[in-house]
């Protein structure tokens, strides 16, 4: 696990955008797993700017989002489809027919959505880079605490805590869904590379067990310790509860030294 502690949210967004761009340069038809929520917004802004000003292209990219609410139509402004259109897809050159969310249309049986989504991900060759945020309770996607660490895309009941955290986005609390379809933890772990972004003090108590705690379904993000290629990008506030802080700084120092040598400095 590569733990990178950065000055602030802006630096986290820049580092996240840089990771995506590096994958895209290597593989113009990359498959990205994407997240919604507050955390990735600044990173998406940077990708939009790179498309507009630096010739970055998503023309051949495919995306799979982590999750979608059950009971909201795609054009409902609170749906994650609407979020993705507003915050990224409408602003870049991606072919939107290659953008997927685990959507549950009116005529679809919610139980069929998960297996179909898994098959679709497989048919596109799997996910090259999965972007994650983290819930205050350690959830990734909507895999709430006690989710099976071996789970696949399926329906999840949101915790009261998650519902409360997301209430701010709904004018009418009664319109807020309590169910979602989410990629499973095993689905996320299948991605070839993962980047988790966390910013703000309210994430500190979820970040610590993710990196330093035992692997446990009580903190679903802790499973990332078992993945070979994970970057955890944190701002100072989100990193503030880590106990091995000195060690992460020491590693970062050694990395700078090694890359300096490589570049002949
Ligand atoms: C969003 C998602 C969630 C969020 C998490 C953090 O698609 O899957 O796991 O990443 O709830 O949300 P924010 O970034 O709003 O704090």
């Amino acid at each position: 696990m590569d733990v990178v502690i950065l000055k602030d949210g802006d630096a986290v967004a820049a580092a996240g955008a840089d990771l995506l761009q590096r994958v895209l340069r290597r593989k113009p038809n990359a498959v990205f797993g994407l997240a919604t929520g507050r955390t990735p917004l600044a990173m998406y802004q940077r990708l939009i700017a790179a498309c507009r000003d630096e010739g970055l292209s998503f023309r051949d990219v495919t995306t799979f989002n982590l999750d979608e609410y059950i009971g909201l139509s795609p054009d409902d402004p609170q749906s994650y489809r609407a979020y993705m259109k507003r915050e990224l897809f409408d602003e870049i050159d991606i072919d939107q027919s290659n953008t997927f969310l685990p959507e549950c249309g009116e005529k679809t049986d919610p139980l069929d959505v998960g297996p179909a989504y898994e098959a679709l991900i497989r048919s596109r060759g799997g996910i090259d880079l999965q972007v994650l945020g983290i819930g205050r309770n350690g959830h990734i996607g909507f895999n709430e605490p006690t989710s099976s660490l071996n789970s696949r895309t399926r329906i999840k009941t949101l915790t009261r805590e998650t519902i409360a955290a997301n209430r701010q986005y709904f004018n009418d609390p009664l319109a807020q869904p309590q169910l979602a379809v989410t990629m499973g933890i095993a689905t996320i772990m299948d991605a070839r590379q993962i980047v988790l972004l966390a910013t703000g003090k309210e994430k500190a108590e979820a970040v610590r067990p993710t990196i330093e705690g035992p692997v446990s379904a009580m903190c679903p993000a802790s499973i990332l310790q078992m993945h070979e290629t994970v970057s955890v990008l944190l701002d100072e506030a989100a990193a503030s509860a880590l106990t091995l802080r000195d060690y992460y700084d020491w590693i970062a120092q050694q990395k700078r030294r090694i890359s300096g040598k490589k570049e002949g400095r």
Side-chain angles (χ1 to χ4, degrees):
M1 194 179 256
D2 192 15
V3 179
V4 184
I5 303 172
L6 297 154
K7 185 167 93 259
D8 54 22
D10 239 23
V12 169
D18 188 55
L19 263 180
L20 261 94
Q21 290 190 59
R22 261 188 274 162
V23 172
L24 206 43
R25 272 198 295 273
R26 198 178 67 228
K27 187 175 178 190
N29 62 346
V31 178
F32 289 121
L34 298 178
T36 58
R38 169 190 61 83
T39 313
L41 286 173
M43 181 183 78
Y44 293 153
Q45 282 300 316
R46 284 181 176 267
L47 293 172
I48 291 167
C51 260
R52 193 186 51 225
D53 307 330
E54 295 158 26
L56 182 72
S57 176
F58 285 78
R59 203 182 43 234
D60 299 320
V61 162
T62 298
T63 65
F64 287 96
N65 264 77
L66 282 165
D67 36 26
E68 179 57 286
Y69 288 119
I70 294 181
L72 297 185
S73 78
D75 45 358
D76 187 306
Q78 311 309 334
S79 73
Y80 284 166
R81 166 64 74 183
Y83 167 109
M84 289 309 301
K85 279 176 69 61
R86 194 169 58 236
E87 305 297 346
L88 187 67
F89 298 156
D90 284 352
E91 306 296 326
I92 58 177
D93 62 346
I94 198 164
D95 173 352
Q96 294 201 33
S97 67
N98 289 327
T99 65
F100 302 99
L101 288 90
E103 284 159 305
C104 187
E106 260 173 42
K107 292 191 184 122
T108 332
D109 181 338
L111 293 175
D112 293 339
V113 177
Y117 205 57
E118 294 281 331
L120 195 56
I121 294 172
R122 276 197 304 276
S123 76
R124 298 285 174 133
I127 292 173
D128 292 301
L129 174 64
Q130 175 67 56
V131 176
L132 298 175
I134 183 169
R136 290 175 224 191
N137 59 6
H139 74 210
I140 46 176
F142 276 137
N143 295 286
E144 302 282 31
T146 73
S147 288
S148 162
L149 298 179
N150 217 13
S151 51
R152 291 280 160 190
T153 306
R154 71 212 180 290
I155 302 170
K156 274 304 284 186
T157 304
L158 307 183
T159 59
R160 290 184 205 284
E161 193 182 2
T162 298
I163 292 169
N166 291 343
R167 182 150 301 144
Q168 52 180 314
Y169 304 116
F170 292 85
N171 296 332
D172 174 7
L174 293 178
Q176 184 179 4
Q178 298 171 356
L179 297 178
V181 178
T182 181
M183 261 188 213
I185 295 179
T187 323
I188 292 169
M189 289 292 283
D190 279 348
R192 287 183 269 279
Q193 187 179 348
I194 297 178
V195 57
L196 182 141
L197 316 177
T199 56
K201 182 101 185 125
E202 71 277 14
K203 299 296 171 69
E205 284 308 323
V207 164
R208 189 180 44 73
T210 295
I211 298 170
E212 298 178 341
V215 173
S216 162
M218 284 303 284
C219 176
S222 64
I223 189 70
L224 299 177
Q225 295 172 30
M226 307 287 287
H227 196 282
E228 230 186 331
T229 319
V230 182
S231 305
V232 181
L233 308 181
L234 306 171
D235 69 356
E236 288 287 350
S240 59
L242 291 172
T243 58
L244 296 182
R245 173 61 203 260
D246 284 354
Y247 181 49
Y248 309 127
D249 288 343
W250 171 240
I251 295 171
Q253 208 178 317
Q254 297 304 317
K255 278 191 182 153
R256 277 196 297 276
R257 200 169 58 83
I258 293 165
S259 70
K261 263 194 196 151
K262 262 197 200 150
E263 287 158 27
R265 275 185 256 136

